[in-house]
Amino acid sequence: MDSLSDTLKKLKITAVDRTEDSLEGCLDCLLQALAQNNAETSEKIQASGILQLFASLLTPQSSCKAKVANIIAEVAKNEFMRIPCVDAGLISPLVQLLNSKDQEVLLQTGRALGNICYDSHSLQAQLINMGVIPTLVKLLGIHCQNAALTEMCLVAFGNLAELESSKEQFASTNIAEELVKLFKKQIEHDKREMIFEVLAPLAENDAIKLQLVEAGLVECLLEIVQQKVDSDKEDDITELKTGSDLMVLLLLGDESMQKLFEGGKGSVFQRVLSWIPSNNHQLQLAGALAIANFARNDGNCIHMVDNGIVEKLMDLLDRHVEDGNVTVQHAALSALRNLAIPVINKAKMLSAGVTEAVLKFLKSEMPPVQFKLLGTLRMLIDAQAEAAEQLGKNVKLVERLVEWCEAKDHAGVMGESNRLLSALIRHSKSKDVIKTIVQSGGIKHLVTMATSEHVIMQNEALVALALIAALELGTAEKDLESAKLVQILHRLLADERSAPEIKYNSMVLICALMGSESLHKEVQDLAFLDVVSKLRSHENKSVAQQASLTEQRLTVES
């Protein structure tokens, strides 16, 4: 390697003198040495101090800029060389060279920048601030015939698109158009895969989602699905999954979703509907997720329910009851939950038999499925007294809810179980439902729910408990006592942080508890009068009025 040391010394002199021929010769020798032993050669280059001279050889006028950029790209493959390259001030001149017309210069410059900034978010952010994104997008448009340059641009986009700060810059270019144009031309799986890797992070941005839809990406994706759906080749299966996943991602943007729904008449919406009865699990999943995304506003939900989507989803769920695909179950339940939000849809879905279809999954041990099942039932019974009563008297369901109320490892399932338990009472106002819940051991969970950190859940619990006290106090008395309800209410009323509606409902509940001798005694022992009389001057009128009424009741009863 002595000749390498000689080359480096010679290079130092010629770099200053700018003797073109010997400079070119030295650079060729370096490239050869790097090809033979990259790491060792790179160490010697660093030790020689030659990196500092490279910046001056990267000017637009320099005849050897492509070779210098190539050397930088090679040495920057080594992690230990990246910071020295930055310290030698190479980033700025390299970025300037991206404006070159010479394809070889562009290729080597792109490689050099990519390798220096590899895996470094701070350096990539620096490139974004220097404006490389619009420059690279323009290059992709101009040099789309050059496979190596195209690949270089795609790799760069893939890295930069991971950074949140890049999305705005990408959105202000015509990247969507260029990528879709490129995508349409690609036949090879690997090339398409590369474009997918850029599209996925970009499509997380709502503005870019819309641009991709307008540029015709959806039609390309639908075509892929059609081509690959029956294939069992691994590449095709991968591409089907990537394509249909990306399709679902595009539907997460409100504008892009509405554009594709086209009042339920859109060809895209119709095609997605046809995925649900398919025999391909990936397509069933994407179809159900797409419906869940289309079901993000009342108008769409009402249209879909009127046009028979519920039956399609129930058929799909039916195919996945025994040893079914968990992701498909979860997606179909998500779609049904969203569809059940508009008031007008609830009765239609109930009479279509959605509760029966959903209850088949009561035995599921998968928390994501449990969570969606609970949410769907809760949406369906909202203000539907008859359905709430029917479900609330279903002992199997209530016992399962009580069991899930203790699912400490799954906060979502635990929260939804509590909420459904409370909803069954609030919407049915039925003595039979309350008796079923008392017998199944659900009271203590409703009392605990009254101490939740979420005001909405506290409120739901207090209203349910007030109904229990009004309708079935005798049945629930012992459970309310052992759950320490009176102490909890005292704490809620004394706590200045409690929301006005919590204070109001706690006082309503106190009055309702007076009908029980043992609970009445607990109320007297805890000096509630002091706490309640202070609330008479509360800034919220309803709270102040309820405080006066409660005070009178407490005074009379004492």
Side-chain angles (χ1 to χ4, degrees), residues 295-324:
R296 286 210 314 279
N297 66 48
D298 284 7
N300 292 4
C301 288
I302 292 164
H303 182 281
M304 287 193 277
V305 168
D306 286 346
N307 284 277
I309 188 67
V310 171
E311 290 70 18
K312 284 190 169 71
L313 289 167
M314 281 171 27
D315 289 346
L316 176 60
L317 276 175
D318 241 11
R319 294 161 70 182
H320 288 276
V321 176
E322 298 304 325
D323 308 319

PDB file of all heavy atoms in Angstrom, residues 295-324:
ATOM      1  N   ALA A 295     -66.683   5.079   6.093  1.00  0.00           N
ATOM      2  CA  ALA A 295     -67.746   5.326   7.084  1.00  0.00           C
ATOM      3  C   ALA A 295     -67.313   6.340   8.133  1.00  0.00           C
ATOM      4  O   ALA A 295     -67.519   6.141   9.323  1.00  0.00           O
ATOM      5  CB  ALA A 295     -68.124   4.004   7.752  1.00  0.00           C
ATOM      6  N   ARG A 296     -66.706   7.434   7.668  1.00  0.00           N
ATOM      7  CA  ARG A 296     -66.244   8.433   8.644  1.00  0.00           C
ATOM      8  C   ARG A 296     -67.134   9.665   8.681  1.00  0.00           C
ATOM      9  O   ARG A 296     -66.822  10.632   9.343  1.00  0.00           O
ATOM     10  CB  ARG A 296     -64.795   8.835   8.360  1.00  0.00           C
ATOM     11  CG  ARG A 296     -63.795   7.759   8.745  1.00  0.00           C
ATOM     12  CD  ARG A 296     -62.455   8.342   9.170  1.00  0.00           C
ATOM     13  NE  ARG A 296     -61.970   9.361   8.274  1.00  0.00           N
ATOM     14  CZ  ARG A 296     -61.344   9.117   7.120  1.00  0.00           C
ATOM     15  NH1 ARG A 296     -61.143   7.881   6.733  1.00  0.00           N
ATOM     16  NH2 ARG A 296     -60.922  10.104   6.366  1.00  0.00           N
ATOM     17  N   ASN A 297     -68.227   9.670   7.913  1.00  0.00           N
ATOM     18  CA  ASN A 297     -69.199  10.755   8.086  1.00  0.00           C
ATOM     19  C   ASN A 297     -70.603  10.189   7.902  1.00  0.00           C
ATOM     20  O   ASN A 297     -70.786   9.154   7.253  1.00  0.00           O
ATOM     21  CB  ASN A 297     -68.905  11.949   7.154  1.00  0.00           C
ATOM     22  CG  ASN A 297     -69.078  11.595   5.695  1.00  0.00           C
ATOM     23  OD1 ASN A 297     -70.072  11.002   5.303  1.00  0.00           O
ATOM     24  ND2 ASN A 297     -68.093  11.962   4.875  1.00  0.00           N
ATOM     25  N   ASP A 298     -71.583  10.869   8.486  1.00  0.00           N
ATOM     26  CA  ASP A 298     -72.942  10.327   8.531  1.00  0.00           C
ATOM     27  C   ASP A 298     -73.522  10.048   7.145  1.00  0.00           C
ATOM     28  O   ASP A 298     -74.138   9.013   6.918  1.00  0.00           O
ATOM     29  CB  ASP A 298     -73.869  11.285   9.298  1.00  0.00           C
ATOM     30  CG  ASP A 298     -73.638  11.177  10.799  1.00  0.00           C
ATOM     31  OD1 ASP A 298     -72.686  10.477  11.185  1.00  0.00           O
ATOM     32  OD2 ASP A 298     -74.397  11.797  11.572  1.00  0.00           O
ATOM     33  N   GLY A 299     -73.286  10.986   6.208  1.00  0.00           N
ATOM     34  CA  GLY A 299     -73.849  10.833   4.856  1.00  0.00           C
ATOM     35  C   GLY A 299     -73.405   9.526   4.217  1.00  0.00           C
ATOM     36  O   GLY A 299     -74.224   8.751   3.688  1.00  0.00           O
ATOM     37  N   ASN A 300     -72.091   9.260   4.278  1.00  0.00           N
ATOM     38  CA  ASN A 300     -71.564   8.019   3.691  1.00  0.00           C
ATOM     39  C   ASN A 300     -72.143   6.790   4.388  1.00  0.00           C
ATOM     40  O   ASN A 300     -72.492   5.798   3.752  1.00  0.00           O
ATOM     41  CB  ASN A 300     -70.030   7.969   3.815  1.00  0.00           C
ATOM     42  CG  ASN A 300     -69.344   9.016   2.956  1.00  0.00           C
ATOM     43  OD1 ASN A 300     -70.000   9.826   2.318  1.00  0.00           O
ATOM     44  ND2 ASN A 300     -68.025   9.011   2.950  1.00  0.00           N
ATOM     45  N   CYS A 301     -72.207   6.858   5.744  1.00  0.00           N
ATOM     46  CA  CYS A 301     -72.698   5.703   6.523  1.00  0.00           C
ATOM     47  C   CYS A 301     -74.141   5.379   6.139  1.00  0.00           C
ATOM     48  O   CYS A 301     -74.491   4.214   5.928  1.00  0.00           O
ATOM     49  CB  CYS A 301     -72.648   6.012   8.020  1.00  0.00           C
ATOM     50  SG  CYS A 301     -70.983   6.047   8.674  1.00  0.00           S
ATOM     51  N   ILE A 302     -74.968   6.415   6.041  1.00  0.00           N
ATOM     52  CA  ILE A 302     -76.395   6.207   5.745  1.00  0.00           C
ATOM     53  C   ILE A 302     -76.544   5.590   4.350  1.00  0.00           C
ATOM     54  O   ILE A 302     -77.278   4.624   4.147  1.00  0.00           O
ATOM     55  CB  ILE A 302     -77.170   7.541   5.875  1.00  0.00           C
ATOM     56  CG1 ILE A 302     -77.184   7.973   7.350  1.00  0.00           C
ATOM     57  CG2 ILE A 302     -78.595   7.427   5.347  1.00  0.00           C
ATOM     58  CD1 ILE A 302     -77.571   9.428   7.594  1.00  0.00           C
ATOM     59  N   HIS A 303     -75.786   6.145   3.392  1.00  0.00           N
ATOM     60  CA  HIS A 303     -75.842   5.633   2.022  1.00  0.00           C
ATOM     61  C   HIS A 303     -75.439   4.161   1.976  1.00  0.00           C
ATOM     62  O   HIS A 303     -76.086   3.338   1.323  1.00  0.00           O
ATOM     63  CB  HIS A 303     -74.920   6.463   1.120  1.00  0.00           C
ATOM     64  CG  HIS A 303     -74.963   6.031  -0.313  1.00  0.00           C
ATOM     65  ND1 HIS A 303     -74.281   4.914  -0.764  1.00  0.00           N
ATOM     66  CD2 HIS A 303     -75.620   6.533  -1.389  1.00  0.00           C
ATOM     67  CE1 HIS A 303     -74.510   4.756  -2.054  1.00  0.00           C
ATOM     68  NE2 HIS A 303     -75.316   5.729  -2.466  1.00  0.00           N
ATOM     69  N   MET A 304     -74.358   3.822   2.694  1.00  0.00           N
ATOM     70  CA  MET A 304     -73.852   2.437   2.629  1.00  0.00           C
ATOM     71  C   MET A 304     -74.832   1.458   3.281  1.00  0.00           C
ATOM     72  O   MET A 304     -75.047   0.363   2.764  1.00  0.00           O
ATOM     73  CB  MET A 304     -72.465   2.347   3.271  1.00  0.00           C
ATOM     74  CG  MET A 304     -71.384   2.985   2.410  1.00  0.00           C
ATOM     75  SD  MET A 304     -69.719   2.575   2.967  1.00  0.00           S
ATOM     76  CE  MET A 304     -69.464   3.763   4.258  1.00  0.00           C
ATOM     77  N   VAL A 305     -75.414   1.858   4.410  1.00  0.00           N
ATOM     78  CA  VAL A 305     -76.363   0.964   5.085  1.00  0.00           C
ATOM     79  C   VAL A 305     -77.594   0.754   4.196  1.00  0.00           C
ATOM     80  O   VAL A 305     -78.092  -0.359   4.046  1.00  0.00           O
ATOM     81  CB  VAL A 305     -76.743   1.510   6.483  1.00  0.00           C
ATOM     82  CG1 VAL A 305     -77.933   0.757   7.069  1.00  0.00           C
ATOM     83  CG2 VAL A 305     -75.540   1.401   7.417  1.00  0.00           C
ATOM     84  N   ASP A 306     -78.055   1.823   3.555  1.00  0.00           N
ATOM     85  CA  ASP A 306     -79.222   1.707   2.663  1.00  0.00           C
ATOM     86  C   ASP A 306     -78.934   0.839   1.446  1.00  0.00           C
ATOM     87  O   ASP A 306     -79.851   0.333   0.811  1.00  0.00           O
ATOM     88  CB  ASP A 306     -79.684   3.107   2.200  1.00  0.00           C
ATOM     89  CG  ASP A 306     -80.386   3.853   3.326  1.00  0.00           C
ATOM     90  OD1 ASP A 306     -80.737   3.205   4.336  1.00  0.00           O
ATOM     91  OD2 ASP A 306     -80.568   5.081   3.214  1.00  0.00           O
ATOM     92  N   ASN A 307     -77.638   0.698   1.133  1.00  0.00           N
ATOM     93  CA  ASN A 307     -77.302  -0.074  -0.071  1.00  0.00           C
ATOM     94  C   ASN A 307     -76.724  -1.456   0.233  1.00  0.00           C
ATOM     95  O   ASN A 307     -76.000  -2.035  -0.583  1.00  0.00           O
ATOM     96  CB  ASN A 307     -76.362   0.741  -0.967  1.00  0.00           C
ATOM     97  CG  ASN A 307     -77.137   1.824  -1.708  1.00  0.00           C
ATOM     98  OD1 ASN A 307     -77.742   1.561  -2.740  1.00  0.00           O
ATOM     99  ND2 ASN A 307     -77.170   3.021  -1.148  1.00  0.00           N
ATOM    100  N   GLY A 308     -77.016  -1.951   1.436  1.00  0.00           N
ATOM    101  CA  GLY A 308     -76.745  -3.366   1.719  1.00  0.00           C
ATOM    102  C   GLY A 308     -75.349  -3.738   2.173  1.00  0.00           C
ATOM    103  O   GLY A 308     -74.975  -4.909   2.140  1.00  0.00           O
ATOM    104  N   ILE A 309     -74.564  -2.746   2.627  1.00  0.00           N
ATOM    105  CA  ILE A 309     -73.195  -3.083   3.053  1.00  0.00           C
ATOM    106  C   ILE A 309     -73.191  -3.951   4.311  1.00  0.00           C
ATOM    107  O   ILE A 309     -72.318  -4.796   4.504  1.00  0.00           O
ATOM    108  CB  ILE A 309     -72.353  -1.791   3.280  1.00  0.00           C
ATOM    109  CG1 ILE A 309     -70.878  -2.135   3.527  1.00  0.00           C
ATOM    110  CG2 ILE A 309     -72.855  -0.992   4.465  1.00  0.00           C
ATOM    111  CD1 ILE A 309     -70.182  -2.713   2.362  1.00  0.00           C
ATOM    112  N   VAL A 310     -74.211  -3.746   5.177  1.00  0.00           N
ATOM    113  CA  VAL A 310     -74.234  -4.463   6.463  1.00  0.00           C
ATOM    114  C   VAL A 310     -74.299  -5.971   6.234  1.00  0.00           C
ATOM    115  O   VAL A 310     -73.580  -6.753   6.878  1.00  0.00           O
ATOM    116  CB  VAL A 310     -75.421  -3.968   7.330  1.00  0.00           C
ATOM    117  CG1 VAL A 310     -75.600  -4.849   8.560  1.00  0.00           C
ATOM    118  CG2 VAL A 310     -75.183  -2.513   7.737  1.00  0.00           C
ATOM    119  N   GLU A 311     -75.138  -6.387   5.292  1.00  0.00           N
ATOM    120  CA  GLU A 311     -75.263  -7.817   4.996  1.00  0.00           C
ATOM    121  C   GLU A 311     -73.924  -8.392   4.497  1.00  0.00           C
ATOM    122  O   GLU A 311     -73.526  -9.483   4.883  1.00  0.00           O
ATOM    123  CB  GLU A 311     -76.369  -8.053   3.943  1.00  0.00           C
ATOM    124  CG  GLU A 311     -77.788  -7.810   4.458  1.00  0.00           C
ATOM    125  CD  GLU A 311     -78.130  -6.333   4.742  1.00  0.00           C
ATOM    126  OE1 GLU A 311     -77.416  -5.426   4.240  1.00  0.00           O
ATOM    127  OE2 GLU A 311     -79.109  -6.099   5.477  1.00  0.00           O
ATOM    128  N   LYS A 312     -73.233  -7.610   3.658  1.00  0.00           N
ATOM    129  CA  LYS A 312     -71.929  -8.079   3.144  1.00  0.00           C
ATOM    130  C   LYS A 312     -70.934  -8.281   4.307  1.00  0.00           C
ATOM    131  O   LYS A 312     -70.188  -9.258   4.344  1.00  0.00           O
ATOM    132  CB  LYS A 312     -71.344  -7.049   2.161  1.00  0.00           C
ATOM    133  CG  LYS A 312     -71.999  -7.047   0.783  1.00  0.00           C
ATOM    134  CD  LYS A 312     -71.181  -6.175  -0.172  1.00  0.00           C
ATOM    135  CE  LYS A 312     -71.605  -6.312  -1.624  1.00  0.00           C
ATOM    136  NZ  LYS A 312     -72.906  -5.696  -1.917  1.00  0.00           N
ATOM    137  N   LEU A 313     -70.933  -7.315   5.233  1.00  0.00           N
ATOM    138  CA  LEU A 313     -69.987  -7.403   6.361  1.00  0.00           C
ATOM    139  C   LEU A 313     -70.367  -8.554   7.295  1.00  0.00           C
ATOM    140  O   LEU A 313     -69.501  -9.237   7.841  1.00  0.00           O
ATOM    141  CB  LEU A 313     -69.950  -6.079   7.136  1.00  0.00           C
ATOM    142  CG  LEU A 313     -69.275  -4.913   6.418  1.00  0.00           C
ATOM    143  CD1 LEU A 313     -69.570  -3.586   7.105  1.00  0.00           C
ATOM    144  CD2 LEU A 313     -67.749  -5.123   6.340  1.00  0.00           C
ATOM    145  N   MET A 314     -71.676  -8.777   7.474  1.00  0.00           N
ATOM    146  CA  MET A 314     -72.108  -9.883   8.335  1.00  0.00           C
ATOM    147  C   MET A 314     -71.741 -11.237   7.708  1.00  0.00           C
ATOM    148  O   MET A 314     -71.312 -12.153   8.403  1.00  0.00           O
ATOM    149  CB  MET A 314     -73.619  -9.787   8.612  1.00  0.00           C
ATOM    150  CG  MET A 314     -73.892  -8.739   9.685  1.00  0.00           C
ATOM    151  SD  MET A 314     -75.627  -8.303   9.976  1.00  0.00           S
ATOM    152  CE  MET A 314     -76.566  -9.694   9.538  1.00  0.00           C
ATOM    153  N   ASP A 315     -71.883 -11.330   6.387  1.00  0.00           N
ATOM    154  CA  ASP A 315     -71.464 -12.570   5.698  1.00  0.00           C
ATOM    155  C   ASP A 315     -69.968 -12.798   5.895  1.00  0.00           C
ATOM    156  O   ASP A 315     -69.521 -13.929   6.130  1.00  0.00           O
ATOM    157  CB  ASP A 315     -71.748 -12.478   4.185  1.00  0.00           C
ATOM    158  CG  ASP A 315     -73.246 -12.545   3.887  1.00  0.00           C
ATOM    159  OD1 ASP A 315     -74.016 -12.923   4.801  1.00  0.00           O
ATOM    160  OD2 ASP A 315     -73.642 -12.209   2.743  1.00  0.00           O
ATOM    161  N   LEU A 316     -69.208 -11.713   5.791  1.00  0.00           N
ATOM    162  CA  LEU A 316     -67.757 -11.814   5.955  1.00  0.00           C
ATOM    163  C   LEU A 316     -67.432 -12.295   7.375  1.00  0.00           C
ATOM    164  O   LEU A 316     -66.615 -13.212   7.561  1.00  0.00           O
ATOM    165  CB  LEU A 316     -67.096 -10.453   5.683  1.00  0.00           C
ATOM    166  CG  LEU A 316     -65.588 -10.367   5.917  1.00  0.00           C
ATOM    167  CD1 LEU A 316     -64.844 -11.357   5.020  1.00  0.00           C
ATOM    168  CD2 LEU A 316     -65.073  -8.949   5.652  1.00  0.00           C
ATOM    169  N   LEU A 317     -68.074 -11.693   8.368  1.00  0.00           N
ATOM    170  CA  LEU A 317     -67.821 -12.102   9.753  1.00  0.00           C
ATOM    171  C   LEU A 317     -68.180 -13.576   9.947  1.00  0.00           C
ATOM    172  O   LEU A 317     -67.476 -14.311  10.636  1.00  0.00           O
ATOM    173  CB  LEU A 317     -68.650 -11.249  10.723  1.00  0.00           C
ATOM    174  CG  LEU A 317     -68.048  -9.894  11.128  1.00  0.00           C
ATOM    175  CD1 LEU A 317     -69.026  -9.114  11.974  1.00  0.00           C
ATOM    176  CD2 LEU A 317     -66.732 -10.074  11.882  1.00  0.00           C
ATOM    177  N   ASP A 318     -69.265 -13.991   9.324  1.00  0.00           N
ATOM    178  CA  ASP A 318     -69.719 -15.370   9.453  1.00  0.00           C
ATOM    179  C   ASP A 318     -68.660 -16.366   8.979  1.00  0.00           C
ATOM    180  O   ASP A 318     -68.537 -17.461   9.518  1.00  0.00           O
ATOM    181  CB  ASP A 318     -70.999 -15.567   8.624  1.00  0.00           C
ATOM    182  CG  ASP A 318     -72.149 -15.968   9.529  1.00  0.00           C
ATOM    183  OD1 ASP A 318     -71.981 -15.880  10.757  1.00  0.00           O
ATOM    184  OD2 ASP A 318     -73.204 -16.385   9.006  1.00  0.00           O
ATOM    185  N   ARG A 319     -67.906 -15.933   7.961  1.00  0.00           N
ATOM    186  CA  ARG A 319     -66.871 -16.821   7.409  1.00  0.00           C
ATOM    187  C   ARG A 319     -65.664 -16.910   8.334  1.00  0.00           C
ATOM    188  O   ARG A 319     -64.753 -17.693   8.105  1.00  0.00           O
ATOM    189  CB  ARG A 319     -66.428 -16.310   6.035  1.00  0.00           C
ATOM    190  CG  ARG A 319     -67.554 -16.388   5.000  1.00  0.00           C
ATOM    191  CD  ARG A 319     -67.289 -15.485   3.805  1.00  0.00           C
ATOM    192  NE  ARG A 319     -66.188 -15.956   2.961  1.00  0.00           N
ATOM    193  CZ  ARG A 319     -65.756 -15.304   1.888  1.00  0.00           C
ATOM    194  NH1 ARG A 319     -66.330 -14.163   1.527  1.00  0.00           N
ATOM    195  NH2 ARG A 319     -64.768 -15.770   1.170  1.00  0.00           N
ATOM    196  N   HIS A 320     -65.641 -16.034   9.342  1.00  0.00           N
ATOM    197  CA  HIS A 320     -64.451 -15.981  10.217  1.00  0.00           C
ATOM    198  C   HIS A 320     -64.777 -16.236  11.684  1.00  0.00           C
ATOM    199  O   HIS A 320     -64.038 -15.822  12.562  1.00  0.00           O
ATOM    200  CB  HIS A 320     -63.754 -14.628  10.070  1.00  0.00           C
ATOM    201  CG  HIS A 320     -63.042 -14.481   8.768  1.00  0.00           C
ATOM    202  ND1 HIS A 320     -61.770 -14.953   8.555  1.00  0.00           N
ATOM    203  CD2 HIS A 320     -63.441 -13.968   7.582  1.00  0.00           C
ATOM    204  CE1 HIS A 320     -61.410 -14.714   7.306  1.00  0.00           C
ATOM    205  NE2 HIS A 320     -62.397 -14.116   6.687  1.00  0.00           N
ATOM    206  N   VAL A 321     -65.902 -16.920  11.941  1.00  0.00           N
ATOM    207  CA  VAL A 321     -66.263 -17.161  13.346  1.00  0.00           C
ATOM    208  C   VAL A 321     -65.366 -18.249  13.934  1.00  0.00           C
ATOM    209  O   VAL A 321     -64.701 -18.048  14.950  1.00  0.00           O
ATOM    210  CB  VAL A 321     -67.760 -17.555  13.490  1.00  0.00           C
ATOM    211  CG1 VAL A 321     -68.061 -17.885  14.951  1.00  0.00           C
ATOM    212  CG2 VAL A 321     -68.647 -16.404  13.040  1.00  0.00           C
ATOM    213  N   GLU A 322     -65.324 -19.393  13.282  1.00  0.00           N
ATOM    214  CA  GLU A 322     -64.501 -20.499  13.797  1.00  0.00           C
ATOM    215  C   GLU A 322     -63.069 -20.366  13.290  1.00  0.00           C
ATOM    216  O   GLU A 322     -62.838 -20.377  12.094  1.00  0.00           O
ATOM    217  CB  GLU A 322     -65.097 -21.848  13.343  1.00  0.00           C
ATOM    218  CG  GLU A 322     -66.503 -22.115  13.861  1.00  0.00           C
ATOM    219  CD  GLU A 322     -66.612 -22.055  15.384  1.00  0.00           C
ATOM    220  OE1 GLU A 322     -65.644 -22.465  16.074  1.00  0.00           O
ATOM    221  OE2 GLU A 322     -67.655 -21.589  15.884  1.00  0.00           O
ATOM    222  N   ASP A 323     -62.122 -20.249  14.218  1.00  0.00           N
ATOM    223  CA  ASP A 323     -60.690 -20.116  13.859  1.00  0.00           C
ATOM    224  C   ASP A 323     -60.502 -19.079  12.752  1.00  0.00           C
ATOM    225  O   ASP A 323     -59.732 -19.289  11.813  1.00  0.00           O
ATOM    226  CB  ASP A 323     -60.104 -21.456  13.353  1.00  0.00           C
ATOM    227  CG  ASP A 323     -60.389 -22.583  14.323  1.00  0.00           C
ATOM    228  OD1 ASP A 323     -60.277 -22.319  15.531  1.00  0.00           O
ATOM    229  OD2 ASP A 323     -60.759 -23.689  13.893  1.00  0.00           O
ATOM    230  N   GLY A 324     -61.195 -18.005  12.861  1.00  0.00           N
ATOM    231  CA  GLY A 324     -61.138 -16.993  11.798  1.00  0.00           C
ATOM    232  C   GLY A 324     -59.870 -16.173  11.830  1.00  0.00           C
ATOM    233  O   GLY A 324     -59.034 -16.284  12.726  1.00  0.00           O
TER     234      GLY A 324
END
